[in-house]
Amino acid sequence: MNGTVTCRGLVYIYRLEGYDVVALGGVDLDIAPGESVALLGPSGSGKSTLLSLLAGLIRPAAGRATVGETDLAKASEADLARMRATEVGVVLQGAERNLLPYLTAEQNVRFAQRAARAHGVGDLPAPRDVLALVGLLGVRGRLRQRPHELTPGERQRLALAVALAHKPGLLLADEPTSQLDSVARDEVIAALESVRRNGTTVVVVTHDPEVGAGMGRQVTIRDGRVGGEGRLGEEFAVVGRDGAVHLPPDVLAMLPPGTRLRVHPRPDGTVVLAPAHAAQPGSELVPADEYEPEDDATAYRRGQIVPDYSREVA
Ligand SMILES: Nc1ncnc2c1ncn2[C@@H]1O[C@H](COP(=O)(O)OP(=O)(O)OP(=O)(O)O)[C@@H](O)[C@H]1O
């Protein structure tokens, strides 16, 4: 069990006939063992592509990514197969795609352990323990039922159990709550939390803010890069390796693309971005040594100041 993820300038390009789609344009991301992270962001921003890369299903076009000890750019196909069989558990979108319909819940988990066993992993957990971890043990004899006999929420938790059958250090789940009602969704969130408490790193792609809130950290992917982060209820913009910052949508509405900004570092470690068009003759920004945060309201009304962005982003 390790579960560490490191991405540096990670790029992925879909090469289509006649043109390329740059799905990831330089992702920098660190995930520590035992963290739970939600990947959020608009449709098409690159979340699923990032998940597929971390799962070793596709290869980076450039940049670096490691999962545990495996360098995803340099690893051989055999290394990647080993990583998938022993270190990473993947839940594809749509519970059914992860399950064999003719096997019972318990048999599905046992079957999923075969690849790890083939790679020499001996101390695999009992399927019942894995099912207990996701809250499926003792639910009306669910162990002996087949996927179609389970409720949608139970089916999704069985898909989690199958991905966890070989006790991976990292669980990757793509939209694990899509098409679930709120009760089933909350059960999946609780199962993911139980998995994290058990020591597994959890990375979930989701559109659901409730799922995002249920994870310890929220990472927003925009245009193929990490655009922002949330931790403990606080929102942060993230400075990219090229110095670019994705402004939150409400600030972007005030500062549309192409706006010229004056950038004023402040002694207190904050930075003020002032649109060039807002500066009136004789209304210079408050000098750094006289700057007080309560001046913001006045300066804001003059259109001279926009929200501060801490340089000390997490
Ligand atoms: N197989 C593919 N072939 C070509 N382009 C693709 C393929 N898969 C994804 N893309 C493109 O790559 C970009 C990122 O897609 P991706 O599916 O990773 O985004 P996403 O954030 O997961 O979107 P969604 O939330 O809608 O699932 C998009 O422009 C998408 O159209």
Side-chain angles (χ1 to χ4, degrees):
M1 238 192 195
N2 178 322
T4 314
V5 172
T6 308
C7 301
R8 291 284 173 275
L10 187 60
V11 173
Y12 188 78
I13 301 170
Y14 290 100
R15 301 206 181 276
L16 306 177
E17 240 173 88
Y19 65 100
D20 294 341
V21 177
V22 180
L24 297 178
V27 169
D28 295 309
L29 183 64
D30 289 297
I31 301 176
E35 260 198 293
S36 63
V37 176
L39 297 179
L40 303 154
S43 198
S45 56
K47 307 180 292 295
S48 299
T49 302
L50 179 55
L51 211 72
S52 300
L53 274 164
L54 297 182
L57 300 171
I58 53 177
R59 298 268 196 169
R64 212 165 155 248
T66 57
V67 169
E69 303 294 312
T70 309
D71 182 328
L72 299 179
K74 293 188 182 150
S76 65
E77 284 305 318
D79 291 339
L80 290 181
R82 178 178 183 79
M83 182 189 85
R84 286 193 299 268
T86 62
E87 288 182 47
V88 179
V90 183
V91 184
L92 303 172
Q93 199 171 341
E96 293 76 8
R97 291 173 65 202
N98 302 276
L99 302 172
L100 290 168
Y102 47 84
L103 295 184
T104 66
E106 193 171 12
Q107 288 167 339
N108 259 287
V109 176
R110 200 178 299 284
F111 185 85
Q113 296 180 323
R114 283 169 34 140
R117 225 174 251 120
H119 280 88
V121 180
D123 59 340
L124 290 166
R128 282 169 174 262
D129 291 343
V130 185
L131 290 161
L133 187 66
V134 298
L136 275 182
L137 198 68
V139 190
R140 297 182 309 256
R142 289 311 195 210
L143 292 186
R144 284 177 297 281
Q145 294 194 304
R146 291 183 170 70
H148 73 271
E149 296 171 297
L150 304 176
T151 65
E154 289 167 348
R155 217 163 22 243
Q156 186 60 64
R157 282 184 285 145
L158 178 58
L160 291 181
V162 162
L164 293 163
H166 55 290
K167 207 162 187 275
L170 173 65
L171 176 71
L172 303 169
D174 200 349
E175 294 283 0
T177 62
S178 61
Q179 296 173 349
L180 295 185
D181 63 27
S182 59
V183 174
R185 180 202 53 200
D186 290 348
E187 286 168 358
V188 170
I189 294 173
L192 290 169
E193 174 53 17
S194 140
V195 171
R196 188 201 63 75
R197 275 203 309 272
N198 199 42
T200 306
T201 308
V202 175
V203 179
V204 173
V205 165
T206 186
H207 282 106
D208 186 336
E210 294 290 330
V211 180
M215 302 292 117
R217 185 173 153 206
Q218 301 78 36
V219 172
T220 303
I221 308 293
R222 286 202 194 94
D223 299 331
R225 293 177 187 212
V226 173
E229 255 198 54
R231 279 181 200 240
L232 303 172
E234 248 195 297
E235 292 293 322
F236 299 93
V238 177
V239 181
R241 59 179 38 223
D242 57 357
V245 176
H246 279 275
L247 299 175
D250 54 333
V251 178
L252 196 58
M254 296 160 66
L255 303 173
T259 304
R260 282 180 299 126
L261 299 171
R262 292 194 178 87
V263 180
H264 295 272
R266 295 277 168 187
D268 62 3
T270 59
V271 179
V272 174
L273 306 177
H277 67 258
Q280 303 296 321
S283 64
E284 291 303 311
L285 279 168
V286 182
D289 51 350
E290 292 169 23
Y291 174 75
E292 289 176 28
E294 54 266 36
D295 287 338
D296 282 4
T298 318
Y300 181 85
R301 275 197 297 280
R302 288 201 305 263
Q304 226 188 340
I305 201 167
V306 295
D308 294 352
Y309 285 99
S310 170
R311 282 180 150 177
E312 296 168 44
V313 290

